[in-house]
Amino acid sequence: MRVIIAEDAVLFRAGVVRVLTDAGCTVVAEAGDAPTLLAAAARHPADVAIVDIRMPPTHTIEGLDAARALRAEHPGLGVLILSAYLEPHYAMTLLEHGVRAAGYLLKDRVTDLEEFVAAVRRVAAGGLVIDPSVVAQLLGRRRRRDPLAGLTGRERDVLALMAEGRSNQAVAARLHLSPKTVEAHVRSLFGKLGLEETADDNRRVLAVLAFLRSADPAAQVAS
Amino acid sequence: MRVIIAEDAVLFRAGVVRVLTDAGCTVVAEAGDAPTLLAAAARHPADVAIVDIRMPPTHTIEGLDAARALRAEHPGLGVLILSAYLEPHYAMTLLEHGVRAAGYLLKDRVTDLEEFVAAVRRVAAGGLVIDPSVVAQLLGRRRRRDPLAGLTGRERDVLALMAEGRSNQAVAARLHLSPKTVEAHVRSLFGKLGLEETADDNRRVLAVLAFLRSADPAAQVAS
DNA sequence: CGCCGGTACCGGGCTAACCCTCAGCCGACC
DNA sequence: GGTCGGCTGAGGGTTAGCCCGGTACCGGCG
C-alpha cells in the first residue's frame, strides 16, 4: 500500500509515517501544505492520501479543499481525513463526492495503532471509514440545521436576554411580562433547541451557547 | 541520550519516538498516563522525560503534576513539557522549581525536527528551553487584565466545564470530585470574578460569558 | 512551629428555575 | 365558523444550584 501524508505538524506526521512503515506500508510522499500535497499526488502513484484539514497557509480548510481536488483528479486514490476537530459539515463535504475510498477520523480518538492501519487499508481498498462520533453529530445536525430558526420572536427575545446573563425576573421586567410567561418561553425554546433534561447538562447555559454560536458564525470555526 | 516519553495520543507519541530514535537517542520507556510515567522513571535511568500536561485519568494537569514529581525525585532528570496548549501559568509552575534541565514547548510550533531533537538534548544537558510565544504571553498577560487571571487552576477547570454547559454533577464526575467540592469552587470563582448575588443576574451564565470572552480561553481547555 | 492558600468535602437551609397541566385571547387561514 | 400557532399567564410541585459555617490535609513560607 502506497501512502501520501499531508500534515503540517511535523511530530504528528512523523508518528503517522512510523506507524504505517512499521506496518509494511510505503510512504511515497510527505507534505506540509496543500500545494505540496497536490504536487506529490501528481508525481507519485499512491493508494491513499492521509490529509489534515487545517494546513498552511490559511490553516482553515486548505486540506479539505485539497482532498476534494484529489478525489476529482485521482479517482483511484482513497482519501482519509485525519482531523483534530469534530467537524461534521466538513465530513459531509467530503462525502458529497461519494462514500467510497473515503474516511474521516479524529486524531484524539485513534487509540489503537493496528486499527488505525486497518482503517487506512480499508480506505485504500475503496471502503468508507468514519469516526462514530462524527456520525452521531451528523445525525443530530440533520434535525436542527439552524438552531435559532425554529424560535418565535418572543422566544428569541427571551433567549437574547438570558444570553446577557439575566435572571428570569430581569427578563420579565425588561419585556414587561410575568415571570410565569418567561418560564413558558424558556421551556418552549428548550424544546425547540432540542435540549432535553439530563443529569449532566445545564440547559440554560447550553441554550445561551447555542445563541452565541448562532450570532457569531466565526465562533463555529474556532479551536 | 536516554528518553522517557509520556503522551496518551498514540500517533503523536509514535512520532516523537521515531524522531528521537532516528536521531540516535534511546527511548527507554513510553507511558500513556502519569502513574506509568512515574513508574518508568523509577525503573529506567534516563536523561530526559518528555511529558504531555493533560493525560488520563483526569486529563487536567496530571502530566504537570507528574513532571514536578519527577523533578523532585530524580534531580538529574531533565523534564520537557510538550503541550498542545499555550498555558503560561503551567509553564510558570514548572519553572518555579528551577530553570535548569527544564523545557516547555508547544506541539504545533515544532516545525524543525533537528531543532526539536536539539532542544531535547539541551534539556537533558541541564539547559532551559521555552517556546517564545509562551514567554510573550507571560509578558502580555502581565499587561492585560484577564478576569480569569485570579482563578486557581482548579477553578479554571471547573469553569471550563461549566462553559460547556455541564451540570455540577457532570463537572464532579469529570474531575473526580464530590458535587460539594464543585459547589465550593463555583462559589469561589464567582467571588473572584466579582459576581455578586443580585435578583437580576444569572451568575452561572455571567461566569460562562466571562470565560468565553477572556483572552484565548480555548488555550486553557482540554479537547 | 504557626500561618496561609489551595484543595477537598460535609451538613443543613433556601430559592430561582425548572417541571406539569390548564386556560384565555388574538389574528391568520381555510 | 373552526383550527392553528403565538402570546400570555395561572396554580401547584420539585430540585439543581446556590448559600452558610465548618472540618481536614498538604505544601510553602517566615
Side-chain angles (χ1 to χ4, degrees):
Chain A
M1 181 171 71
R2 299 156 304 178
V3 188
I4 298 175
I5 301 173
E7 163 67 58
D8 64 314
V10 292
L11 285 177
F12 189 83
R13 190 166 84 224
V16 178
V17 170
R18 168 170 173 157
V19 169
L20 293 176
T21 50
D22 285 354
C25 310
T26 304
V27 178
V28 299
E30 299 181 34
D33 58 39
T36 307
L37 165 63
L38 295 178
R43 195 174 303 119
H44 306 278
D47 302 299
V48 60
I50 299 176
V51 184
D52 183 27
I53 289 182
R54 297 174 191 273
M55 289 197 290
T58 70
H59 285 281
T60 52
I61 54 171
E62 290 250 354
L64 184 65
D65 287 338
R68 289 162 65 184
L70 284 185
R71 301 201 81 185
E73 293 161 23
H74 310 276
L77 178 69
V79 176
L80 173 65
I81 296 285
L82 194 52
S83 173
Y85 309 106
L86 178 53
E87 291 167 313
H89 52 296
Y90 289 159
M92 284 173 63
T93 301
L94 183 75
L95 300 180
E96 277 167 4
H97 288 262
V99 292
R100 290 176 179 277
Y104 193 112
L105 291 179
L106 298 177
K107 289 177 181 175
D108 286 350
R109 286 176 59 86
V110 174
T111 57
D112 184 279
L113 298 181
E114 288 182 354
E115 269 187 35
F116 171 69
V117 173
V120 176
R121 289 192 196 280
R122 228 156 44 242
V123 172
L128 171 67
V129 170
I130 186 163
D131 188 279
S133 60
V134 178
V135 178
Q137 187 120 336
L138 275 172
L139 293 181
R141 215 165 172 97
R142 281 266 161 75
R143 256 193 329 261
R144 21 188 176 91
R145 183 156 300 211
D146 183 358
L148 299 194
L151 302 191
T152 67
R154 213 57 168 153
E155 285 159 359
R156 206 175 285 113
D157 290 341
V158 169
L159 181 53
L161 290 170
M162 285 162 66
E164 289 180 11
R166 298 283 164 257
S167 64
N168 283 0
Q169 175 173 325
V171 173
R174 176 68 182 278
L175 300 177
H176 306 290
L177 306 175
S178 125
K180 273 295 183 181
T181 304
V182 172
E183 284 180 25
H185 286 308
V186 172
R187 188 157 161 244
S188 182
L189 69 86
F190 278 169
K192 291 180 183 179
L193 294 179
L195 299 174
E196 298 178 352
E197 190 174 356
T198 77
D200 283 353
D201 300 327
N202 184 296
R203 286 188 292 167
R204 195 176 184 98
V205 172
L206 286 173
V208 166
L209 293 176
F211 178 85
L212 294 175
R213 287 196 196 106
S214 180
D216 187 1
Q220 276 184 335
V221 192
S223 281
Chain B
M1 181 171 71
R2 298 157 304 178
V3 188
I4 297 174
I5 301 173
E7 163 66 56
D8 63 316
V10 292
L11 284 177
F12 190 82
R13 191 166 84 224
V16 177
V17 170
R18 169 173 172 150
V19 168
L20 292 176
T21 49
D22 286 354
C25 309
T26 304
V27 177
V28 298
E30 298 179 32
D33 58 38
T36 307
L37 164 64
L38 294 178
R43 195 174 304 119
H44 306 276
D47 303 298
V48 61
I50 299 177
V51 184
D52 183 26
I53 289 182
R54 298 179 188 271
M55 290 198 290
T58 70
H59 285 284
T60 52
I61 53 170
E62 290 251 352
L64 184 65
D65 288 337
R68 290 161 64 184
L70 285 184
R71 302 200 80 186
E73 292 160 24
H74 309 275
L77 178 67
V79 176
L80 173 64
I81 295 286
L82 195 49
S83 173
Y85 308 106
L86 178 52
E87 290 168 312
H89 55 296
Y90 288 160
M92 285 173 62
T93 299
L94 182 75
L95 299 180
E96 277 167 4
H97 288 261
V99 292
R100 290 177 180 278
Y104 192 113
L105 292 178
L106 297 178
K107 290 175 179 176
D108 286 349
R109 287 177 57 87
V110 174
T111 56
D112 184 279
L113 298 181
E114 290 183 352
E115 270 188 33
F116 172 67
V117 175
V120 175
R121 290 191 194 281
R122 225 153 50 238
V123 171
L128 170 67
V129 170
I130 186 162
D131 188 280
S133 62
V134 177
V135 179
Q137 183 116 338
L138 276 170
L139 297 179
R141 223 171 168 93
R142 289 265 160 78
R143 272 197 311 264
R144 290 192 314 245
R145 289 292 172 91
D146 186 349
L148 302 192
L151 300 190
T152 67
R154 214 57 170 151
E155 285 159 0
R156 202 174 285 111
D157 291 340
V158 169
L159 181 53
L161 292 169
M162 285 162 66
E164 291 181 10
R166 301 267 185 106
S167 65
N168 283 358
Q169 174 175 324
V171 172
R174 174 65 193 277
L175 299 177
H176 307 286
L177 305 175
S178 127
K180 276 293 184 181
T181 304
V182 171
E183 285 180 25
H185 286 308
V186 171
R187 192 162 156 236
S188 182
L189 69 85
F190 279 170
K192 291 181 183 180
L193 293 179
L195 300 174
E196 297 178 349
E197 189 174 357
T198 77
D200 284 353
D201 300 327
N202 183 295
R203 286 187 291 167
R204 194 176 184 96
V205 171
L206 287 173
V208 166
L209 293 176
F211 180 85
L212 295 174
R213 286 193 206 107
S214 79
D216 208 7
Q220 331 225 1
V221 188
S223 292

